[in-house]
Amino acid sequence: MSGDFFTDVPGRIAYGGPASSDPLSYAVYQPDREVLGKRMEDQLRIAVCLWHSFNWPGSDVFGVGTFDRPWLSAGLDAATAAQAKIDAAFEFIDKLGVPFFAFHDRDVAAEGRTYTETRANLDTSVGRIEKHMARTGARLLWGTANLFGHPRYAAGAATNPDPEVFAYAAAQVKTMLEVTHRLSGANYVLWGGREGYETLLNTDLAREEAQLARFLALVAEHKQRIGFQGTLLIEPKPQEPTKHQYDYDVATVVGFLQRHDLADEYRLNLEANHATLAGHSFHHEVATAIAVDAFGSIDVNRGDYQNGWDTDQFPNSVDELSLALHEILAAGGFTTGGFNFDAKLRRQSVSRTDLFHAHIGGIDTLARALLAAAEMVEHQTLAAPRKQRYAGWSGDLGKAILSGSTTLTDLERRVAAGEIDPRPRSGQQELLEGLVNRRIWSVDASRERETKKAGR
């Protein structure tokens, strides 16, 4: 198979500024620009995912693949295909100029006739990945195992009614966790692609919950055994392909972890499109995870407002992302997590260069949202009004309630005596919406000034 795959992109994508007419340049993203005391690259920690970008042919339920992906051609030798896929992926990552990547085991190595052969295939691919990492400087944001693609997982992996399927999934995760450790990955993600049910008529909910809890405990135990220093992450998703998944949303997953004494072992990898499928905003899921000290990392994408499924489109809304980023920055930013581009091209975007256009646009959207969020944090656009709104809880009454030093009888007596007679106060929602927009507009105005200055 031929060498360079992206020959229409001769070098690394550079910052061109808002005035640049070159679509193969960044209008906003500047890796070295300081934002709240960190480089922009270190605030965002952007990763390219290998599954949508290099392991998906552009197919859907009504049609075959449309993309030019020679390593996915039918009849191609599996080893040759895997090598070409890895080479193309790292050519893309290097030219895009982002620091991280993420992958499933099956993204880089085909399943063999036996488990031993499968492990050998993966080991060969990992060796090739190591060489590319050394050459490009790219790092692994997280690794994960595909426990949903093979027919053996049709009824789930950890929650499967067959304990042999549970055992096979455990072996697969053990191997991939060790691979992630070998590659110095920052995190390991468990996504229960089919950990749920299609019908309650044949489902034992209590048994499946117990199985899933034991599986997660085994993974946490093995993490300690091998000395993996990264973070274990669980990715919530409400449905699709199952009717209902046990990792429905942040609140569901955190409740599950607390019930089974696993809350200290796992944090959450949140996806924007999964949040909206669950009936929440992305902002809500990020804020909820931070509030319960479970926030870990992000799969950044979006859904289509007219479609009720996981369309995994590239992000393009500064308004939506700026609010999520505000919560992340206000909480101190990422530790081991980052923004992984779990997004895919539309089936009609068949040009190889479309993959660059999609990522560049998404990365610039993230960068603009970061700048707007930083403005909000610096000016306490939301922090100050929130603090004022709850100020009463720092007074004598609020402290007494929260400390447990007062009873319902005490409170009723004071209300009856006329000591407590509250009046409604404005929540100022419209004011705050306007202030958020002003911060977003101030970033846009700054870009306009840069554009005019560059045009002189």
Side-chain angles (χ1 to χ4, degrees), residues 15-331:
Y15 173 71
S20 175
S21 60
D22 182 6
L24 291 174
S25 68
Y26 292 116
V28 186
Y29 180 63
Q30 302 176 73
D32 293 326
R33 178 172 177 173
E34 186 172 301
V35 181
L36 295 183
K38 288 184 181 179
R39 297 168 62 248
M40 183 177 281
E41 178 178 279
D42 297 330
Q43 288 283 21
L44 295 177
R45 292 172 61 86
I46 292 168
V48 169
C49 82
L50 267 59
W51 50 98
H52 286 327
S53 293
F54 295 93
N55 208 46
W56 179 57
S59 57
D60 65 16
V61 295
F62 298 109
V64 299
T66 59
F67 295 158
D68 178 14
R69 303 286 187 268
W71 52 81
L72 299 180
S73 300
L76 189 66
D77 171 73
T80 302
Q83 292 174 10
K85 184 191 305 180
I86 292 167
D87 292 349
F90 277 93
E91 179 194 343
F92 178 80
I93 293 164
D94 190 32
K95 288 183 175 180
L96 193 64
V98 296
F100 292 101
F101 67 101
F103 73 102
H104 301 82
D105 46 4
R106 297 297 178 262
D107 295 337
V108 300
E111 187 146 351
R113 292 166 294 181
T114 66
Y115 185 72
T116 300
E117 184 178 308
T118 299
R119 283 199 60 164
N121 291 344
L122 181 60
D123 188 63
T124 298
S125 291
V126 171
R128 198 173 190 88
I129 288 171
E130 284 179 315
K131 292 178 181 178
H132 280 298
M133 290 175 69
R135 177 181 61 81
T136 64
R139 291 166 284 163
L140 179 61
L141 185 66
W142 51 259
T144 187
N146 181 331
L147 303 182
F148 50 87
H150 194 280
R152 73 172 65 91
Y153 297 128
T159 59
N160 199 286
D162 184 350
E164 290 193 355
V165 175
F166 181 107
Y168 200 99
Q172 194 175 332
V173 169
K174 173 184 178 292
T175 296
M176 194 56 194
L177 180 59
E178 291 169 355
V179 164
T180 302
H181 182 38
R182 171 179 167 182
L183 296 177
S184 300
N187 310 272
Y188 183 86
V189 171
L190 291 106
W191 177 58
R194 297 188 189 274
E195 307 293 18
Y197 64 79
E198 295 179 359
T199 175
L200 283 173
L201 299 179
N202 62 6
T203 301
D204 185 333
L205 289 173
R207 178 180 293 278
E208 292 196 1
E209 172 160 331
Q211 290 174 207
L212 182 56
R214 183 60 189 137
F215 193 91
L216 295 177
L218 285 169
V219 175
E221 290 165 11
H222 195 64
K223 171 194 170 179
Q224 298 301 326
R225 188 173 293 114
I226 65 175
F228 177 55
Q229 298 298 310
T231 304
L232 295 178
L233 300 170
I234 294 177
E235 182 169 333
K237 185 179 183 182
Q239 56 206 18
E240 191 198 62
T242 66
K243 178 179 180 178
H244 172 84
Q245 293 193 197
Y246 300 132
D247 49 3
Y248 192 91
D249 61 4
V250 169
T252 303
V253 174
V254 170
F256 177 94
L257 293 173
Q258 290 174 344
R259 282 197 303 279
H260 297 283
D261 296 323
L262 292 166
D264 292 337
E265 302 290 349
Y266 289 89
R267 300 179 81 80
L268 301 185
N269 183 63
L270 308 177
E271 180 180 308
N273 204 170
H274 292 175
T276 51
L277 280 176
H280 306 306
S281 68
F282 182 43
H283 185 195
H284 166 89
E285 288 290 86
V286 171
T288 301
I290 290 171
V292 297
D293 194 27
F295 177 73
S297 195
I298 297 292
D299 274 5
V300 63
N301 55 26
R302 64 183 171 95
D304 188 302
Y305 297 128
Q306 293 178 287
N307 292 337
W309 61 86
D310 199 9
T311 57
D312 286 331
Q313 293 171 247
F314 280 83
N316 65 0
S317 173
V318 175
D319 293 11
E320 293 177 359
L321 285 177
S322 62
L323 291 172
L325 264 161
H326 170 268
E327 303 299 332
I328 294 169
L329 292 179

Side-chain angles (χ1 to χ4, degrees), residues 315-375:
N316 65 0
S317 173
V318 175
D319 293 11
E320 293 177 359
L321 285 177
S322 62
L323 291 172
L325 264 161
H326 170 268
E327 303 299 332
I328 294 169
L329 292 179
F334 288 114
T335 52
T336 61
F339 279 105
N340 173 53
F341 271 82
D342 185 8
K344 57 189 178 185
L345 297 174
R346 301 302 90 191
R347 290 185 74 240
Q348 297 180 50
S349 299
V350 297
S351 167
R352 294 180 179 183
T353 312
D354 284 330
L355 199 57
F356 277 95
H357 294 318
H359 280 83
I360 290 168
I363 290 169
D364 271 341
T365 299
L366 262 183
R368 286 180 62 198
L370 174 69
L371 296 175
E375 284 262 319

